[in-house]
Amino acid sequence: MPLKLKPLAEQVIVITGASSGIGLATARRAAKAGAAVVLAARNEDALRAICDEINAEGGRAHPVVADVGNAEDVEKIARAALARFERIDTWINDAGVGLYAELVNVPHEDHERLFRTNYFGVVHGSLEAVKHFKARGGSGALINVGSILSDIATPLLGAYAASKHAVKGFTDALRIELEREKAPISVTLIKPSSIGTPFSDHARNLMDKAATVPPPVYAPEVVADAILHAAAHPVRNLTVGAGGRQLVVSHAVAPGLADRLFGIVVPPLSRRKGAKAVRDNLYEPGDDGRVDSPHVKGRKFSLYTQTQKHPALTLGLGALAVAGAAAFLGRGVIARTARPMVARAVRPVLVRAAMRRPATAARLAVRHPRQAARLAGALR
């Protein structure tokens, strides 16, 4: 059966971690787009207030109090969604907790609890969603919220980074298995950069100062838009924010140097002035109900994220960039040395865009054969 996802207005969407931050921003945006939302979190009071707000504005929202680290609670989420709305079209695993500390100072039980939520919460939610999609028939979307730290590591958030690496490995392996079965299920990993949510206040903090996230910081709504794009359009990965992507690229190019720089730069950028939060959400619900951090404001737009959502635009912009660079570097010694560097930098972007939208790439080539030939020559 071919994979075909419904428009948001026709969907029933389950969102875990919906009581604050990215989950709450996603819930509000999904409901405004017409989707019915099933919101899960540990904080009953915050959940009910959020659902009352959405329903009062004409949306459709249903709360489920659940701890995603408990498989039985996750099954309860699915049962509640089916009882209230009769089906599930998209399942979003967003619930997560944080822990600021050097790894040698992290108590074993805290490390284990973090993985219980961040990793096993994703495992429980993913398997429950896949079970439902297969039993129901038809297409479905599974969206797991990882992090830019799914690709790199960082000091002071080592346990968190390890859990997000595990989420990436699980998500990729599950996608391969579903593709082998030809199951019509879209599996997406969302990888946010630093986001201006209450994360740093909710996280357990064993440092001597209040915690924050390093710049550049993006608004939670940028992540919510990426998540909802994946709910309606099959996509493998979406990285939110060029800032985080640049860190990944720098680590891939020069891992030793990047390790040293991260060790020097990240710790001071992870601390802020002011009093530390008096409570955290590692074991118990936090002070929920907020989308944004009270200490840092995020950028409302990411061009890099937008280009990933619209690969045809990426293809066009990349072609223009190569054409412009080729014209500028068209002759002499500069051309012989710089042109290959430009081609190596742009080639993966164009190839990835063309593979995502082969029909669009073919149409562009047919309409502009001369430019396509020049582009192909520049990228040899």
Side-chain angles (χ1 to χ4, degrees):
M1 179 181 296
L3 173 59
K4 186 176 181 181
L5 302 179
K6 298 177 181 178
L8 288 178
E10 300 175 15
Q11 288 202 26
V12 175
I13 302 178
V14 169
I15 306 173
T16 70
S19 59
S20 68
I22 293 169
L24 177 52
T26 304
R28 286 173 172 164
R29 266 170 152 66
K32 188 170 290 188
V37 292
V38 178
L39 309 184
R42 293 174 294 173
N43 191 326
E44 182 174 5
D45 292 340
L47 269 185
R48 294 196 178 281
I50 293 163
C51 287
D52 288 345
E53 166 204 315
I54 291 173
N55 291 328
E57 294 176 356
R60 294 172 293 160
H62 182 69
V64 184
V65 179
D67 183 342
V68 297
N70 185 318
E72 289 75 19
D73 276 16
V74 175
E75 292 175 2
K76 182 176 70 173
I77 298 171
R79 290 197 303 270
L82 297 178
R84 178 65 178 84
F85 298 116
E86 299 183 347
R87 70 177 193 280
I88 301 168
D89 299 298
T90 293
W91 187 297
I92 301 167
N93 288 310
D94 173 67
V97 293
L99 199 164
Y100 284 82
E102 299 283 353
L103 284 170
V104 294
N105 296 327
V106 177
H108 175 77
E109 58 272 18
D110 288 358
H111 207 147
E112 189 174 81
R113 176 62 203 185
L114 181 141
F115 261 78
R116 175 60 52 188
T117 299
N118 291 9
Y119 174 68
F120 283 103
V122 168
V123 171
H124 297 154
S126 298
L127 298 182
E128 190 65 33
V130 167
K131 181 177 71 174
H132 169 75
F133 294 150
K134 287 183 175 181
R136 185 200 67 190
S139 299
L142 170 64
I143 302 170
N144 292 337
V145 179
S147 167
I148 203 67
L149 298 183
S150 296
D151 295 325
I152 58 175
T154 184
L156 298 179
L157 282 174
Y160 179 83
S163 72
K164 293 301 183 177
H165 273 67
V167 166
K168 181 180 184 297
F170 171 82
T171 303
D172 288 346
L174 179 62
R175 184 189 299 110
I176 292 171
E177 294 179 359
L178 293 172
E179 287 181 352
R180 184 183 60 190
E181 299 172 15
K182 300 191 183 326
I185 301 173
S186 173
V187 179
T188 301
L189 181 66
I190 302 291
K191 295 185 287 187
S193 302
S194 292
I195 307 299
T197 70
F199 170 84
S200 58
D201 284 334
H202 288 175
R204 174 150 294 193
N205 181 5
L206 303 183
M207 301 189 301
D208 57 347
K209 292 185 178 180
T212 189
V213 292
V217 180
Y218 300 86
E221 290 80 6
V222 181
V223 189
D225 288 343
I227 290 172
L228 295 178
H229 175 82
H233 305 85
V235 58
R236 179 186 180 92
N237 297 309
L238 268 175
T239 299
V240 179
R245 181 59 185 167
Q246 290 166 3
L247 294 178
V248 174
V249 171
S250 66
H251 195 273
V253 172
L257 176 61
D259 284 348
R260 290 192 291 274
L261 287 175
F262 290 179
I264 294 170
V265 173
V266 171
L269 292 178
S270 300
R271 299 181 174 96
R272 65 169 178 83
K273 296 179 180 179
K276 292 173 57 174
V278 296
R279 56 181 297 196
D280 61 67
N281 69 353
L282 187 60
Y283 292 94
E284 301 293 336
D287 187 13
D288 293 323
R290 291 185 60 103
V291 168
D292 301 298
S293 165
H295 309 293
V296 59
K297 299 302 178 186
R299 302 179 183 186
K300 299 291 187 182
F301 181 78
S302 166
L303 178 60
Y304 174 74
T305 306
Q306 285 297 110
T307 60
Q308 292 179 89
K309 292 191 288 184
H310 303 285
L313 174 63
T314 304
L315 183 64
L317 291 176
L320 287 174
V322 172
F328 180 72
L329 303 171
R331 48 188 182 273
V333 176
I334 294 179
R336 289 194 296 272
T337 57
R339 188 183 297 162
M341 296 173 60
V342 174
R344 282 197 298 271
V346 176
R347 184 186 294 117
V349 176
L350 295 182
V351 170
R352 188 162 56 245
M355 291 179 66
R356 286 180 179 173
R357 292 290 189 277
T360 301
R363 283 197 297 271
L364 288 173
V366 170
R367 291 176 185 171
H368 308 284
R370 185 175 298 177
Q371 290 85 345
R374 288 179 180 174
L375 180 59
L379 294 177
R380 283 201 307 266

